[in-house]
Amino acid sequence: MASREIVRYRSPTRGAVQAVTVIFLIVFLIWTVLPLLIMLVSSFKELLDAFQLPAVGDWGDVGVMFDFKPTGRHYVELFTEKHFATYLRNSLIASFGSAAVSVSLGAMAAYAISRAQFRGKRDLLFWIISTRMAPVVAVMVPLYVIFRSSGLVGTLPGLILAYTTFNLPFAIWILKGFFDNVPYAIEEAAQCDGCNRWQAFRLILPLVAPGIGAFIVLCVLFGWNDFLFASIIGSGGAKTLPVATAELVQPVKIQWGSIMAAGVVTTVPMMFLGLLIRRYLVAGLTMGAVRE
Amino acid sequence: MAADIAHTPDEARRDIARGARTIDYTPNAFNHQPARYYLLWLMLPAIIVLAGISLYPFFWLIYMSLHEVQLAPGKSDIWVGVDNFLRLFSDKKFASGWLTLFKYSALCLSIEVGLGVLVAVILNNSRLEKVLVTIFLMPMMMAPMVAGFLYMFLYNGTFGWYFWLLRSVGVLEGGTILGDRGWAMFAVVATDVWQWTPLIALITLAGLKRVPQDQLEAHMVDGAGEIRNFISVTLPNLYPFLLIAILLRFMDNFRFIDTILIMTGGGPANATKILPTYLFDVSFKFFELGRGAAIAFTLLLLTILLGLVLTKVFEDPARKLKTGGGG
């Protein structure tokens, strides 16, 4: 193993470079966190407070951002007057339903594709990945017509199916990569000990369980964050959180306080889930091409 | 004793008649079938579902693109042949949709890759790497449409903090951000950059961990400085990672249009109307689904092309990306 120690000498240039990198990092950190902070703070502000802004060029008055009396009014309103509990339930059912369908069917298929050698395997994989990559709007055009004629528009099963268009190929593709890494010898040994193939498959499941768990979470995340499918195919009976949030924009006035509160309600659970599966995040978001 | 074992059903029945106990045991039924049938059965449910929600709609899409689709019940679709496609040639918004899409993607990708690599190089092996990476992850978890609203709020011409910032710095003369043709494009790009630069940084970080240290050292012994080292050792090792990052981000740029739809809806004066946004308008605002299908078809062709490239990239270097290098 090569040593990682590299001798560095102090010099004015190096000092300057270091200072610049530190400043850059701080600016980038502020750029990343500031919008989130403003969203959180604004969700606790009364309408008038939210509209307080220092005069143009008045840098000393930035503190006005935190000069307000916090109120939980917007959150209470969301859940009492605006029926967000229902939308939250819809979001949960649609995203978890689709994740469950996708990962259970996907795990079986991924295992089979990983183990089987057959002609056309590459074509099958290509089909799967291009299904995953198809633009949501383009998929929605025929799906909308089909769902309309079969009465699936505006229902939760319809929405679950719609989410499955991107979650199922994702699950197959990424879990195949996981099963590829499990040596076949384990199943062979299990079968020598008298397991049948199904039992052997169940036996290696614990080995990929952490991955499967993480990708269930990712599927939930993709479904939860979707807006396009939900706004067209879920419109009416199966309104999810993002659609309900968009509907807070009313012709007369945009209810910014409620929108920011709804944004927090939509975002915070997913941030927790994201941190939970931190290890698998990069693999998941790059379709398994890059692992940390 | 071995002779007492029943070998044929007749012998077994004889033994049972003599009072032999039976045990319920089926020798592994699955194992007697060739493995491929078993694997096929495992594959089948997913394949059938996938075909139902991707292949079947795809044929529908082709059918729709050749018809004038009637949504009203009782009316049947009118055959128009390739008219929907021919009309695209004279459709100015279609052409400008493609152009805007490429302009948008080029802007997003160049800024994201530049910033992402910079952040990754600075963070790599620094003390704060873990903490900062975790913080940088947060925007990626946000629903794009929420990010759209959030930035709309920040850009607002009367109470938006970013609006105030731009005015205070003196770059913005007056007017509004999202209402101005030039600014609107940068505004939506900035939202994408905010959300997805961290992903590029993460991918690059994963790549940096796999740059072979011995190559770096050998190069240093040969007298290369740090910058030289970065250009001729680190960067070539990063290329496959950057390629994947760029392809994936480009793909997402036309897969998701939530932010643009929320922030500008394609305006002002079509300045941010990338093709998928135009497709959304045609299909779900004007409900000209036949024409929409024709546009969707062209978009899917690009997807298939990208898919071909991606499967190539994923297949060979994928092995290298996971295991290769000194990491």
Side-chain angles (χ1 to χ4, degrees), chain A residues 3 14 32 54-55 57 133 291, chain B residues 164 168 194 210 217 226 251:
Chain A
S3 142
R14 187 174 297 289
T32 306
M133 294 189 339
R291 289 203 186 142
Chain B
W164 173 80
S168 300
W194 175 72
R210 285 174 181 69
E217 275 177 12
E226 269 175 66
M251 180 186 106

Side-chain angles (χ1 to χ4, degrees), chain A residues 4-243:
Chain A
R4 280 174 190 276
E5 303 296 322
I6 291 170
V7 182
R8 293 205 163 104
Y9 300 99
R10 288 197 175 281
S11 75
T13 351
R14 187 174 297 289
V17 169
Q18 221 153 38
V20 170
T21 54
V22 168
I23 290 169
F24 171 79
L25 263 192
I26 291 172
V27 170
F28 191 79
L29 189 68
I30 292 174
W31 152 258
T32 306
V33 177
L34 190 64
L36 295 170
L37 187 74
I38 290 180
M39 181 169 88
L40 189 67
V41 168
S42 305
S43 72
F44 288 108
K45 279 181 181 174
E46 289 287 355
L47 206 59
L48 278 178
D49 288 328
F51 290 173
Q52 288 297 318
L53 212 59
V56 170
D58 186 2
W59 294 96
D61 208 14
V62 176
V64 79
M65 191 190 288
F66 298 103
D67 182 21
F68 66 99
K69 243 176 78 191
T71 165
R73 197 168 62 87
H74 299 300
Y75 290 94
V76 175
E77 240 178 55
L78 283 184
F79 285 96
T80 51
E81 288 167 35
K82 307 218 165 85
H83 315 293
F84 260 56
T86 323
Y87 308 142
L88 185 71
R89 195 197 59 139
N90 284 348
S91 266
L92 283 174
I93 293 177
S95 52
F96 275 91
S98 158
V101 172
S102 304
V103 173
S104 53
L105 293 184
M108 291 196 301
Y111 170 76
I113 293 172
S114 162
R115 292 294 181 252
Q117 294 300 330
F118 53 93
R119 250 184 305 146
K121 182 170 168 175
R122 288 181 49 140
D123 301 317
L124 183 71
L125 285 173
F126 170 65
W127 171 47
I128 289 169
I129 198 171
S130 45
T131 305
R132 156 74 187 179
M133 294 189 339
V136 173
V137 210
V139 175
M140 209 159 62
V141 172
L143 222 52
Y144 175 72
V145 175
I146 295 170
F147 279 16
R148 221 179 117 102
S149 59
S150 44
L152 281 170
V153 170
T155 64
L156 282 171
L159 205 53
I160 290 177
L161 258 184
Y163 289 169
T164 306
T165 55
F166 52 75
N167 274 342
L168 182 58
F170 169 76
I172 298 177
W173 178 276
I174 205 151
L175 288 174
K176 179 195 163 281
F178 259 72
F179 282 117
D180 282 346
N181 285 344
V182 177
Y184 185 59
I186 297 177
E187 286 149 71
E188 273 181 333
Q191 288 184 32
C192 284
D193 290 346
C195 288
N196 62 33
R197 285 182 205 281
W198 175 251
Q199 286 166 331
F201 170 52
R202 286 218 331 240
L203 194 84
I204 62 162
L205 272 184
L207 295 177
V208 287
I212 289 184
F215 297 126
I216 291 178
V217 170
L218 267 175
C219 285
V220 169
L221 193 116
F222 292 139
W224 180 279
N225 283 351
D226 165 83
F227 171 63
L228 280 180
F229 273 133
S231 69
I232 300 293
I233 285 176
S235 69
K239 223 184 277 174
T240 59
L241 283 180
V243 182

